[in-house]
Amino acid sequence: MSDAPAAVPRSNAVVAVLAFAGIVVSLMQTLVIPIVPELPKLLDAPASDTAWAVTATLLAAAVATPVVGRLGDMFGKRRMLLVSVVMLVAGSVVCALSDSLIPMIIGRALQGLASGVIPLGISIMRDELPAERLAGSTALMSASLGIGGALGLPAAALIADNFSWHVLFWTSAALGVVAFALVSLFVPESRVRTGGRFDLVGGIGMATGLICLLLGISKGADWGWTSGTTIGLFVAAVVVLPAWGWFELRTEQPLVDLRTTARRQVLVTNLASIAVGFAMFAMSLVLPQLLQLPAQTGYGLGKSMLVAGLVMAPSGLVMMVTAPVSAAVSKARGPKTTLMIGALIVAAGYGLNIVLMTEVWHFVLAACVIGAGIGFTYGSMPALIMGAVPASETAAANSLNTLMRSIGTSSASAIAGVILAQMTTDFGGYALPSENGFKVVLAVGAGAALLAFVVASFIPRQRVAGDSAAPVAEDAAEAAGVAAKS
């Protein structure tokens, strides 16, 4: 009993530190957005090449997230979280010191390797927090992906407008150092581990398949969707990923346990996550462009990047506020219900934006509604995943779920790019995306959210309230067994 009072502040510290680390890592999503148009001049390279500063992060994150999750389950989640933060700091320093394309791409790839921090943080919470704190804490940790992205845009725009662009990356490095120190001081290492041998062949196969798939999605518009390179990448992905799955089902210690992944609750949640990731990213693509297009177009508002960032920022705060609400709904009605409610809220936000897009406050309102929905959906996903996998596989399972969201966001970027490139209007001799083009993307975002709602309806009915004690007891027993063996 004497340890109980100390456990509360210790749990508070663990949650605060892990959420901070998640927000720091998610900042890299929006870190370069203010300087993307200037990168060709800053790095003395063609725009088609400087686009790799964004693509490299995407590809590195896709490969690293499931790999780091598996390594966390095997060798320690806190250890791999610290390694991920070191990658963020190293990548930030390389970018801060770079004045040419290759170092920038290397640095951005290193930053992408830090993407496993959020699923690792969720898994640490499962191992270390009391049951009554778990739902709200994991909801906040999951939502930190959106929170950091929303808050990072105005901060990055402010720095880029007033200082050298290198300061963006020095700031990222400094935040990473702070996160490393706080995790080292306040986050304990879990004793829940699987041990075993790392599946190197599976890692190479998964990396190859994912890179082919995501590279085709992200660069298809630039290379041409019918070009030999794009088609070749998609064909390679179709060949490699099933072959990788066949191998994983036949190895004793797979990188991804596909049998666990195939459980209905995990599989359907991951499919819904793709749709939610798509829906979330559509907002990030459309709203800043509409805010910054010239007012003379008749539908643009002619605002600066800083103003656009400030319009988006409240959505991040809303995500933070809705995390505990999401947890309360999950406790009362089950995380399946929370996910479905969140998807409907996101769809409503896009519908609102289609009819309200002429004033700044219209965009603030739409972003906040969509942010509330994202807070609900992102808060429910860890609970759904952890309710269907053993504690020893939590990091790998949450990492795969994070990867599914990333596939959704990558697909959103590609599809929105195609729509906006096809639906244009002439403005002073330049082709700009038309107002109807933006409305179509918003409608597609709403459709993706409704698709997530429909998919989520197939998730098995959840146990709520007092029924949740059984999984917790099973996890505790498993953790005790691991500890006894060690």
Side-chain angles (χ1 to χ4, degrees):
M1 293 296 292
S2 61
D3 292 337
V8 175
R10 186 162 58 242
S11 296
N12 290 340
V14 169
V15 173
V17 168
L18 290 175
F20 173 75
I23 291 171
V24 169
V25 169
S26 63
L27 287 174
M28 69 183 178
Q29 288 189 325
T30 50
L31 189 68
V32 297
I33 288 179
I35 62 170
V36 164
E38 304 297 322
L39 283 177
K41 180 177 68 175
L42 297 173
L43 301 176
D44 191 23
S48 58
D49 291 342
T50 58
W52 284 96
V54 176
T55 306
T57 307
L58 166 70
L59 298 179
V63 173
T65 302
V67 170
V68 170
R70 174 61 178 154
L71 291 173
D73 283 334
M74 292 173 63
F75 303 118
K77 303 174 184 75
R78 174 180 177 270
R79 178 179 298 173
M80 294 313 302
L81 193 150
L82 289 171
V83 169
S84 298
V85 175
V86 168
M87 292 296 101
L88 173 68
V89 174
S92 299
V93 171
V94 170
C95 290
L97 294 173
S98 67
D99 285 306
S100 58
L101 181 62
I102 298 302
M104 173 66 82
I105 293 174
I106 293 172
R108 290 289 290 162
L110 287 171
Q111 286 186 318
L113 295 179
S115 295
V117 162
I118 291 174
L120 286 169
I122 292 171
S123 305
I124 291 171
M125 287 176 176
R126 183 184 191 182
D127 295 343
E128 301 300 327
L129 298 183
E132 64 272 11
R133 292 290 309 277
L134 186 58
S137 300
T138 55
L140 176 61
M141 188 71 197
S142 182
S144 68
L145 180 63
I147 295 168
L151 299 181
L153 184 57
L158 184 64
I159 292 171
D161 285 347
N162 294 280
F163 303 96
S164 164
W165 65 273
H166 294 93
V167 176
L168 286 170
F169 296 101
W170 286 122
T171 303
S172 174
L175 290 171
V177 170
V178 172
F180 183 93
L182 292 174
V183 171
S184 301
L185 287 172
F186 294 106
V187 178
E189 180 61 271
S190 170
R191 290 179 293 180
V192 181
R193 301 185 189 181
T194 60
R197 185 179 68 253
F198 181 73
D199 177 17
L200 181 60
V201 174
I204 294 172
M206 185 200 66
T208 303
L210 284 176
I211 288 174
C212 290
L213 175 64
L214 293 175
L215 195 55
I217 291 173
S218 60
K219 302 295 287 185
D222 294 334
W223 294 338
W225 293 106
T226 58
S227 72
T229 302
T230 304
I231 293 174
L233 286 169
F234 285 133
V235 169
V238 169
V239 172
V240 171
L241 289 175
W244 167 77
W246 180 88
F247 176 83
E248 292 293 277
L249 289 171
R250 285 158 179 76
T251 188
E252 289 186 7
Q253 299 178 3
L255 175 69
V256 177
D257 187 343
L258 293 179
R259 291 180 176 84
T260 298
T261 305
R263 292 176 185 171
R264 183 176 168 187
Q265 183 165 319
V266 178
L267 177 62
V268 178
T269 300
N270 282 334
L271 291 175
S273 298
I274 297 174
V276 170
F278 187 108
M280 173 190 170
F281 204 61
M283 172 183 70
S284 302
L285 290 167
V286 171
L287 269 62
Q289 288 194 62
L290 280 170
L291 285 161
Q292 293 178 84
L293 281 174
Q296 292 86 344
T297 59
Y299 52 91
L301 272 68
K303 304 300 181 183
S304 67
M305 173 64 77
L306 177 58
V307 171
L310 291 172
V311 168
M312 300 289 289
S315 67
L317 300 176
V318 170
M319 290 180 204
M320 191 180 301
V321 171
T322 53
V325 180
S326 164
V329 174
S330 294
K331 183 177 180 181
R333 306 294 299 175
K336 171 184 175 178
T337 301
T338 308
L339 176 55
M340 295 176 73
I341 291 172
L344 288 179
I345 295 173
V346 171
Y350 280 116
L352 195 65
N353 203 188
I354 290 173
V355 297
L356 295 176
M357 53 190 302
T358 58
E359 303 287 343
V360 170
W361 70 266
H362 292 169
F363 291 92
V364 174
L365 176 62
C368 286
V369 173
I370 295 169
I374 295 297
F376 268 74
T377 57
Y378 275 24
S380 64
M381 289 173 190
L384 287 165
I385 295 296
M386 291 188 295
V389 303
S392 58
E393 298 178 17
T394 304
N398 278 316
S399 296
L400 186 63
N401 181 252
T402 302
L403 174 62
M404 294 301 104
R405 297 187 226 174
S406 298
I407 291 175
T409 59
S410 302
S411 302
S413 178
I415 292 175
V418 170
I419 293 171
L420 296 179
Q422 295 298 317
M423 302 182 69
T424 61
T425 184
D426 182 77
F427 181 73
Y430 293 94
L432 295 179
S434 67
E435 181 179 12
N436 286 335
F438 286 114
K439 288 184 176 181
V440 168
V441 175
L442 291 171
V444 171
L450 293 175
L451 176 61
F453 174 85
V454 172
V455 172
S457 69
F458 291 96
I459 296 173
R461 186 176 179 181
Q462 298 297 297
R463 294 175 293 185
V464 297
D467 294 336
S468 62
V472 173
E474 292 168 6
D475 291 346
E478 184 176 352
V482 173
K485 292 176 183 178
S486 61

